[in-house]
Every structure is written in structure tokens, then in C-alpha cells.
Amino acid sequence: MRALLVVNPKATTTSERSRDVLVRALRSEVDLTVEYTRRRGHAVSLARQAAEAGVELVVTLGGDGTVNEAVNGLMTATPPTVDLPRGPAERLPALAVVPGGSTNVFARALGLPREWPDGTSMILEGLRLGRFRTIGLGRADDRYFTFCAGLGLDAAVIREVERARLRGRVSTPGLYLRSAVSHYFVGADRRHPAIRLERPGEPAEAELATVIIQNTAPWTYLGKRAVNPNPEASFDLGLDVMGLRQLHVPSTTRTVTQLLSGSPNPRGRQVLRLHDQTEFTVVASRPQAFQLDGDYLGERQKVRFASVPHALRVIC
């Protein structure tokens, strides 16, 4: 089996020595080529080129951002034509994810261990046993995502965390919580909800302050604790949505408390919940912070979301 290992050399939980160990382990099972990312977006082109060259497996070593780029490279590739009637997932290389970031939501959602050595062992076992799973993806306009997207508050928090990291701060649960509290009280316009969600054949859901979209559960982790706004979200179903109509202090505090305490299905008059959605469009009256898979992508005023079933094979 021909395989490509895409390595993010800035991955926060790996070292040169650990990467060497991983390469040796993978080479015991596959015909391996190793490529290092040199800039943001580089993993997209590396994965696309691998798929178009007929590589059968793409492995990523990095965080959720590296995974997202590799997935987008695979999904936009034109692989060699083969007679496989089961759909596009069968014509693309399979994906294996070695956790190397600070949170690794996608890998953990697949059931992989949090640490890269244990994750590597499970991937090698999956290769030997042929243990693959076909999953669905989400799509936001022309970009794919694996586990989550968001417009509004959560994306603005990610923007603040990324700015802090550029100043040398380390990404920790505490940094996210402090950034969330700071933005909520200082940066957010809590009085004038700007977002509207539109679905084909359904009344629009207007005056939303923030929207979280999930392709699986959980949405994220704070250390070992899963944070789960939409616990029924699944790789095997459509997209799930949780929106907050207002960001009043009492209702927002209640919702956040429910999320952090592990309470399933946060509810309240200010909470909008939608399950297993095929497609919808989010429109805002003013630019909103936008994120996919935990990466801040700038501001948007309109994004069309769609579920893409049976999109990709993964080793799990």
C-alpha cells in the first residue's frame, strides 16, 4: 500500500524524535512518503496531489487544522478512474489521523487515544485488520469540515486565541475560557442579534446571536472533558445546530453551565436546536467571525451549509 504522511512540524505535542518513531512504525506496514507542511494551506495541495497520483492512504500528524486541510485536498482531488460502484469515498485514499495538536477533536471523536503513541498503535492495528469506517462530512460553501463550524461568539473566541498564540501564549483550556469571558463582556454586541438561519421549505429562524454547527459529537474538549451542545450529532447523519437567540447574562450563563456540567441537550427559550439537517444557509446583517474545525477563517455574512454523506474512509 502506498501512503503519504503529512507532517505539521509545528504540531504542539510532537518532537523530531517522536516523528522519527512514527515514520519507522508506518514504514513497517506501508510504502511511505513523508512531506512536511511549510505554510498554511500546504496540506491541501499535498493531499490532493497524493490522491491524484493514486496513493491509497494519507496519514496526518498534526492538529485539527492539518486534518481539515488534508480532507479538503482529498475531497477536491480528481483521482484515477477506477470501477468502484460504492461511491466517491471508495475512489479516494483512506485517511488516518495521528493526534499531534493541543485538542485533537476529530481523532478523539473517531475513538482514537489522546496521545500520539497510542494513536499510532491503533492506526497500525487498523491497517493490519483492514478496519475502515466511512463517514460523512460537512460543507460550508466550497470548503469541507470534519466536526464543527460556527458563526458568531465561538468563532470570535477562536480568533482571540489565535491572536494570543501569535504573541507566544500556549493554547490551554484556561486561555479559551478567559478569551470567551473577555469577548463576551467586551467584544460582543449582545443587544442586536444579527444572524438568520434559512432552511428550504421552513420558516427562517431570525435574531440569532451565535450559531454552532456539528458534524459529530462532541463539539470540542476542555482537557479531558467533552463539551457537547448537540450530543446526537453523528458522522452517520446530517448536521446538527445549536443557536442562541440572545446573549443575556442569565440565559447564557445557564446554557454554558449546562454544557460544562455535561448536561445533555441544553434547553431554554433562547436556545435553538436542529437535528440531522441536510442543508441550510446562515445569513447575517453584519460580518460575523467564522470558523471551521477550530480554525478562524475571517468574517462572513452568508454561508451555505450542507451535509455530505458517505464522503470519506477513515482508519479507526
Side-chain angles (χ1 to χ4, degrees), residues 67-68 71-72 75 88-90 92 95 106 109-110 132-140 143-148 213-217 233-240 276-278 293 306-316:
V67 175
N68 179 277
V71 166
N72 275 274
M75 294 301 296
E90 294 294 328
L92 294 171
L95 176 71
F106 179 66
L110 289 174
F132 295 91
R133 174 185 178 185
T134 300
I135 65 169
L137 297 171
R139 189 175 66 235
R143 181 155 177 172
Y144 295 87
F145 60 97
T146 63
F147 64 91
C148 81
I213 300 101
Q214 287 178 238
N215 184 51
T216 190
S234 169
F235 288 126
D236 301 320
L237 299 173
L239 302 175
D240 278 25
D276 192 16
Q277 299 297 300
T278 301
D293 285 345
S307 172
V308 185
H310 312 297
L312 194 64
R313 289 179 303 136
V314 295
I315 295 177
C316 58

Side-chain angles (χ1 to χ4, degrees), residues 276-290:
D276 192 16
Q277 299 297 300
T278 301
E279 62 177 302
F280 54 90
T281 301
V282 176
V283 183
S285 59
R286 59 181 181 272
Q288 298 292 306
F290 174 53

Side-chain angles (χ1 to χ4, degrees), residues 6-12 14-15 19 35-38 61-62 66:
V6 177
V7 178
N8 179 356
K10 297 181 180 179
T12 57
T14 62
S15 64
R19 292 193 290 268
E35 295 283 359
Y36 288 80
T37 60
R38 297 190 296 270
L61 174 60
T66 305

Side-chain angles (χ1 to χ4, degrees), residues 155-175:
V157 171
I158 290 172
R159 177 184 61 201
E160 298 307 312
V161 169
E162 290 191 0
R163 289 174 177 173
R165 292 180 65 182
L166 289 174
R167 298 192 299 268
R169 301 288 296 278
V170 177
S171 179
T172 64
L175 177 60

Side-chain angles (χ1 to χ4, degrees), residues 195-199 202-214 229-230 240-246 255 265-275 277 280-282:
I195 299 173
R196 183 173 74 254
L197 189 147
E198 301 173 349
R199 292 179 289 164
E202 299 286 346
E205 300 286 353
E207 295 189 334
L208 299 172
T210 191
V211 175
I212 290 170
I213 300 101
Q214 287 178 238
N230 295 293
D240 278 25
V241 178
M242 187 188 82
L244 297 181
R245 301 183 187 281
Q246 301 282 346
T255 301
N265 301 317
R267 288 183 171 85
R269 288 185 301 172
Q270 304 300 333
V271 178
L272 167 71
R273 302 180 58 81
L274 300 172
H275 176 58
Q277 299 297 300
F280 54 90
T281 301
V282 176

Side-chain angles (χ1 to χ4, degrees), residues 212-229:
I212 290 170
I213 300 101
Q214 287 178 238
N215 184 51
T216 190
W219 168 51
T220 191
Y221 290 88
L222 286 176
K224 296 181 179 180
R225 177 180 297 178
V227 183
N228 234 339

Side-chain angles (χ1 to χ4, degrees), residues 21-270:
V21 171
L22 171 63
V23 168
R24 288 197 297 271
L26 289 173
R27 280 190 170 143
S28 69
E29 299 293 330
V30 296
D31 177 11
L32 186 69
T33 299
V34 182
E35 295 283 359
Y36 288 80
T37 60
R38 297 190 296 270
R39 60 189 180 277
R40 190 166 187 171
H42 192 198
V44 177
S45 58
L46 291 174
R48 182 186 297 125
Q49 291 164 11
E52 293 175 347
V55 168
E56 298 163 273
L57 173 69
V58 171
V59 185
T60 63
L61 174 60
D64 290 311
T66 305
V67 175
N68 179 277
E69 289 189 10
V71 166
N72 275 274
L74 294 175
M75 294 301 296
T76 56
T78 306
T81 302
V82 291
D83 185 18
L84 290 171
R86 292 180 60 187
E90 294 294 328
R91 294 192 291 271
L92 294 171
L95 176 71
V97 177
V98 179
S102 58
T103 310
N104 306 303
V105 177
F106 179 66
R108 294 162 76 179
L110 289 174
L112 293 172
R114 187 178 178 186
E115 303 298 330
W116 75 264
D118 297 329
T120 300
S121 297
M122 187 170 288
I123 287 170
L124 293 173
E125 180 182 328
L127 281 171
R128 296 185 192 109
L129 299 177
R131 193 167 58 207
F132 295 91
R133 174 185 178 185
T134 300
I135 65 169
L137 297 171
R139 189 175 66 235
D141 290 337
D142 59 352
R143 181 155 177 172
Y144 295 87
F145 60 97
T146 63
F147 64 91
C148 81
L151 274 88
L153 179 61
D154 78 312
V157 171
I158 290 172
R159 177 184 61 201
E160 298 307 312
V161 169
E162 290 191 0
R163 289 174 177 173
R165 292 180 65 182
L166 289 174
R167 298 192 299 268
R169 301 288 296 278
V170 177
S171 179
T172 64
L175 177 60
Y176 277 93
L177 288 173
R178 289 190 297 273
S179 298
V181 171
S182 174
H183 182 78
Y184 176 78
F185 285 106
V186 178
D189 185 348
R190 293 185 280 122
R191 296 185 177 182
H192 306 98
I195 299 173
R196 183 173 74 254
L197 189 147
E198 301 173 349
R199 292 179 289 164
E202 299 286 346
E205 300 286 353
E207 295 189 334
L208 299 172
T210 191
V211 175
I212 290 170
I213 300 101
Q214 287 178 238
N215 184 51
T216 190
W219 168 51
T220 191
Y221 290 88
L222 286 176
K224 296 181 179 180
R225 177 180 297 178
V227 183
N228 234 339
N230 295 293
E232 295 179 346
S234 169
F235 288 126
D236 301 320
L237 299 173
L239 302 175
D240 278 25
V241 178
M242 187 188 82
L244 297 181
R245 301 183 187 281
Q246 301 282 346
L247 293 178
H248 298 315
V249 173
S251 61
T252 304
T253 301
R254 182 169 57 251
T255 301
V256 171
T257 300
Q258 289 174 338
L259 290 176
L260 295 182
S261 66
S263 174
N265 301 317
R267 288 183 171 85
R269 288 185 301 172
Q270 304 300 333

